[in-house]
Amino acid sequence: MDERGGGGSFVAVRRISQGLDRGSTCHSTSAEVVAGSAAWLGRGLSCVCAQRRESDARPSFDLTASQEECLQRLQNRIDVSYDSSIPEHQEALRALWNAAYPEEELRGLISEQWKEMGWQGKDPSTDFRGGGFISLENLLFFARNFPKSFQDLLRKQEGDRSVWEYPFAVAGVNITFMLIQMLDLEAVKPRTLVGATFLKFLADNESAFDLLYCITFKLMDHQWLTMRASYMDFNTVMKATRRQVEKELLNEDVLRLEELPSYSLLSR
């Protein structure tokens, strides 16, 4: 994951009206994408994660054989960079578009259409440096398993929205990156209690990371609305989201991810 730094740009999405002038294709909102520079994309991804001092004690937690195996499989996924020359990756990207806009034909893997989903430019592959191929897999899992919540977030259908909204797709990559850091998933063994706790869920459900991603994305949007945030508040919202996810994961009464309080925010 050493290539996940990227540049320091962002896109803010300004809501304009209820509908796009696209002939027979109808979407709930239109958007104007504005490029600029801020700290919440690219190198700034790290600012959504808690900062540690080198002197901080870093305990490690022993794992069962099952937990080690599940962690290794997840780490193998995390290590895969998005590669636009790999047919499987191309198909996954097309599948994401089809899940997001089933009534609109994608004109190409490099197209201005991608900006509508909240990518920084016409080539989404440039944005995957922050999360790798797993960030695309996370978005697909969300679209396929919780299509209503996915569409609500994509089209900003719920709540009193800001004039300048967070871009959906790039926010999704941020969430993948944040969860990997929060759960310390690149370590041989977890060095935080929240990371060790998550591996118990992972041993019971191999899709636990993808499911936690969906919960976190929906929670982030809930926090966004509660805080009446605009795009300059994105880091603040992400930090609040991280704190809440950690709190819920460490609740001793929670035995399955479906029992997390924020799971109730999701709709299929």
Side-chain angles (χ1 to χ4, degrees):
M1 289 180 52
D2 52 349
E3 295 181 0
R4 296 178 192 178
S9 62
F10 74 96
V11 284
V13 178
R14 187 175 76 174
R15 292 165 55 80
I16 299 174
S17 63
Q18 297 296 313
L20 286 175
D21 184 13
R22 288 177 175 243
S24 61
T25 302
C26 182
H27 297 299
S28 62
T29 61
S30 63
E32 174 183 348
V33 179
V34 181
S37 62
W40 66 284
L41 289 178
R43 293 188 181 89
L45 281 166
S46 60
C47 71
V48 303
C49 304
Q51 301 298 313
R52 294 189 299 265
R53 298 183 301 273
E54 290 299 322
S55 59
D56 286 350
R58 299 302 304 275
S60 63
F61 296 82
D62 291 331
L63 304 178
T64 65
S66 174
Q67 290 172 342
E68 285 186 357
E69 185 177 337
C70 290
L71 176 59
Q72 184 59 59
R73 284 198 293 267
L74 180 54
Q75 289 175 332
N76 290 342
R77 290 179 62 194
I78 291 170
D79 286 341
V80 177
S81 299
Y82 181 85
D83 186 340
S84 58
S85 69
I86 297 177
E88 177 190 356
H89 293 196
Q90 296 173 9
E91 289 307 309
L93 193 54
R94 289 191 185 95
L96 177 62
W97 178 268
N98 292 334
Y101 305 113
E103 293 137 3
E104 181 178 351
E105 182 179 355
L106 179 65
R107 291 189 289 272
L109 292 182
I110 298 178
S111 169
E112 294 290 334
Q113 291 171 287
W114 289 109
K115 294 181 181 179
E116 182 179 330
M117 193 184 292
W119 299 103
Q120 293 189 83
K122 61 183 181 180
D123 183 3
S125 67
T126 61
D127 290 330
F128 285 122
R129 289 175 296 180
F133 183 61
I134 194 173
S135 60
L136 174 53
E137 292 180 315
N138 289 158
L139 283 166
L140 264 177
F141 183 92
F142 193 8
R144 289 168 171 169
N145 290 274
F146 300 96
K148 184 181 185 304
S149 287
F150 179 89
Q151 289 292 333
D152 287 346
L153 268 60
L154 171 67
R155 302 167 190 261
K156 306 295 193 297
Q157 290 179 332
E158 293 184 339
D160 183 14
R161 314 302 307 198
S162 169
V163 173
W164 292 98
E165 278 287 326
Y166 67 84
F168 172 79
V170 177
V173 175
N174 272 258
I175 290 169
T176 297
F177 182 93
M178 183 267 281
L179 287 175
I180 291 170
Q181 297 298 304
M182 182 188 84
L183 301 172
D184 202 19
L185 291 176
E186 293 181 294
V188 175
K189 291 183 179 181
R191 297 170 295 181
T192 63
L193 182 56
V194 70
T197 300
F198 171 74
L199 290 184
K200 297 177 183 178
F201 296 118
L202 185 64
D204 292 334
N205 178 2
E206 190 132 10
S207 298
F209 185 78
D210 302 271
L211 179 56
L212 184 60
Y213 171 89
C214 300
I215 296 168
T216 304
F217 206 151
K218 185 63 176 176
L219 174 61
M220 185 278 291
D221 188 73
H222 178 75
Q223 299 270 30
W224 179 273
L225 292 172
T226 300
M227 297 168 68
R228 302 184 65 84
S230 188
Y231 71 93
M232 289 301 289
D233 303 312
F234 186 80
N235 277 335
T236 301
V237 173
M238 286 288 282
K239 289 175 182 177
T241 301
R242 172 175 172 150
R243 287 193 297 269
Q244 182 62 28
V245 172
E246 288 178 326
K247 178 182 177 181
E248 293 186 15
L249 285 173
L250 293 175
N251 184 337
E252 294 181 357
D253 294 329
V254 172
L255 302 179
R256 301 164 57 244
L257 288 180
E258 290 85 350
E259 296 175 0
L260 293 176
S262 293
Y263 178 82
S264 63
L265 296 172
L266 288 168
S267 301
R268 295 185 185 272

